């Protein structure tokens, strides 16, 4: 769909989120305007309580503003019904959280197939697409592992594969490296940069760490529900260049996998 938004994939105007507490009105967001162009990698920075999660939840169609407007891909989503919003979430957005949010007993391939089920993807190709997405994040040798059998970094890569499998317009990441040590943080940031550059997915990432934000192409700072700074990262940091998506051989389906799983040939 074309519109006057041109290249803007996200356009929020005068966004407000107000909570009435007794006689008082508390603003979690107090007039946020922001345009994100297709292909940008934007870090949202701010102290605890500044409104980052509120903004992310509204942009992620998980919450509604009490004022202002929001267009995603040129479509006004601020007045959509719950069903329409979940449709938008399933087709246009991918989510990555600090705690990975994986389903505890599910194998990696099945985790990544879940959004394909909700987006109405043909059943016959779901598993193939999930495997492809896991291989892209370097987990060809962990396809049939459960979260308890993987490190934190591997679990976050499963979550990224799950977020990207539907080819979303926007990937929303809320403190994606918050639980990871510095080495694994670099791997995850390298993977996000690579996804941004090679797949062209627009990324919005919340962080409170300056050196994490520096891997983005743009840093937006919020405080007290308002944008207080917005700058391009001109000298783009190249610290995260470990090759982590070098593919591993695909491990064949184990004998105890659910029946009906096709056998996967090694690459
Ligand atoms: P951040 O993610 O930056 O830590 P939040 O977006 O979670 O900040 O919260 C922003 C502000 O809005 C905080 O002051 C918080 O207390 C307030 N807030 C968030 N949710 C609610 C709510 N349900 N009721 C009242 N106040 C809220
Ligand atoms: Mg928060």
């Amino acid at each position: 769909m074309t519109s006057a938004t041109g290249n803007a994939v996200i356009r929020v105007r005068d966004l407000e989120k107000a909570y009435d507490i007794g006689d008082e009105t508390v603003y979690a967001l107090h007039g946020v305007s922001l345009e994100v162009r297709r292909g940008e990698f934007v870090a949202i920075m701010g102290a605890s309580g500044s409104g980052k999660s509120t903004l992310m939840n509204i942009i992620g169609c998980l919450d509604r503003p009490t004022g202002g407007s929001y267009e995603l891909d040129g479509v006004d989503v601020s007045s959509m019904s719950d069903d329409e919003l979940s449709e938008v979430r399933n087709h246009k957005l991918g989510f990555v959280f600090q705690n990975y949010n994986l389903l505890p007993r599910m194998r990696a391939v099945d985790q990544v197939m879940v959004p394909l089920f909700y987006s109405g993807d043909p059943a016959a190709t779901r598993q193939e697409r999930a495997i492809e997405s896991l291989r892209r994040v370097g987990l060809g040798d962990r396809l049939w592992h459960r979260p308890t059998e993987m490190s934190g970094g591997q679990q976050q890569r499963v979550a990224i594969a799950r977020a990207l499998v539907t080819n979303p317009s926007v990937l929303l990441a809320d403190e994606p490296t918050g639980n990871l040590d510095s080495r694994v943080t670099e791997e995850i940031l390298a993977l996000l940069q690579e996804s941004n550059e090679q797949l062209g997915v627009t990324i919005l990432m919340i962080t409170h760490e300056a050196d994490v934000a520096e891997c983005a192409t743009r840093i937006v700072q919020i405080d007290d529900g308002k944008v207080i700074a917005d700058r391009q990262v001109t000298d783009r940091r190249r610290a995260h260049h470990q090759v982590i998506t070098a593919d591993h051989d695909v491990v064949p389906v184990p004998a105890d996998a659910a029946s009906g799983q096709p056998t996967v040939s090694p690459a």
Side-chain angles (χ1 to χ4, degrees):
M1 187 177 297
T2 54
S3 79
T5 54
N7 222 13
V9 58
I10 290 167
R11 181 190 244 187
V12 301
R13 279 287 148 88
D14 305 320
L15 212 60
E16 272 186 12
K17 181 69 179 183
Y19 294 102
D20 288 321
I21 299 169
D23 300 338
E24 223 189 324
T25 301
V26 173
Y27 288 91
L29 295 178
H30 208 165
V32 170
S33 297
L34 184 67
E35 269 187 34
V36 177
R37 290 179 301 282
R38 201 168 299 284
E40 280 194 292
F41 184 165
V42 180
I44 309 274
M45 285 198 78
S48 176
S50 57
K52 304 184 296 295
S53 294
T54 304
L55 180 61
M56 192 65 105
N57 289 342
I58 292 172
I59 289 175
C61 297
L62 296 160
D63 195 5
R64 290 167 206 279
T66 51
S69 65
Y70 171 27
E71 278 177 32
L72 176 63
D73 268 343
V75 179
D76 180 7
V77 294
S78 19
S79 53
M80 281 187 175
S81 69
D82 286 350
D83 284 352
E84 288 171 320
L85 286 179
S86 73
E87 186 85 347
V88 168
R89 277 199 304 276
N90 294 335
H91 287 95
K92 292 192 179 289
L93 302 169
F95 296 88
V96 175
F97 301 97
Q98 179 169 355
N99 297 318
Y100 328 128
N101 281 20
L102 299 178
L103 295 156
R105 282 192 295 275
M106 231 186 227
R107 292 163 198 269
V109 170
D110 298 317
Q111 308 262 5
V112 178
M113 282 167 66
V114 169
L116 294 175
F117 175 82
Y118 285 108
S119 67
D121 217 68
T125 53
R126 277 179 212 151
Q127 191 179 73
E128 200 180 303
R129 288 190 64 186
I131 289 171
E132 188 197 322
S133 192
L134 283 162
R135 294 189 69 180
R136 212 189 290 125
V137 301
L139 288 179
D141 59 350
R142 292 289 186 279
L143 298 175
W144 309 100
H145 287 238
R146 296 187 173 83
T148 50
E149 300 159 348
M150 288 185 275
S151 67
Q154 288 169 338
Q155 291 182 62
Q156 193 60 302
R157 285 199 251 163
V158 173
I160 292 170
R162 179 180 61 183
L164 293 176
V165 73
T166 53
N167 296 320
S169 300
V170 181
L171 177 73
L172 297 169
D174 195 344
E175 300 275 6
T177 60
N179 285 355
L180 303 172
D181 68 33
S182 60
R183 184 185 61 82
V184 180
T185 290
E186 288 213 3
E187 287 182 4
I188 293 299
L189 295 176
L191 179 56
L192 291 176
Q193 283 185 324
E194 189 182 278
S195 304
N196 173 245
E197 287 162 15
Q198 292 181 7
L199 304 177
V201 64
T202 306
I203 300 181
L204 236 72
M205 175 181 70
I206 288 183
T207 183
H208 62 270
E209 292 178 82
D211 55 342
V212 169
E214 290 292 332
C215 84
T217 59
R218 177 179 168 194
I219 300 176
V220 173
Q221 202 135 11
I222 69 171
D223 187 35
D224 223 356
K226 295 188 190 75
V227 173
I228 56 161
D230 186 345
R231 69 176 171 93
Q232 302 292 317
V233 181
T234 46
D235 182 21
R236 189 155 179 194
R237 188 177 154 117
R238 288 286 163 196
H240 315 296
H241 47 51
Q242 280 159 285
V243 181
I244 46 109
T245 55
D247 205 1
H248 302 277
D249 284 346
V250 171
V251 173
V253 183
D256 67 336
S259 61
Q261 310 265 33
T263 304
V264 179
S265 316

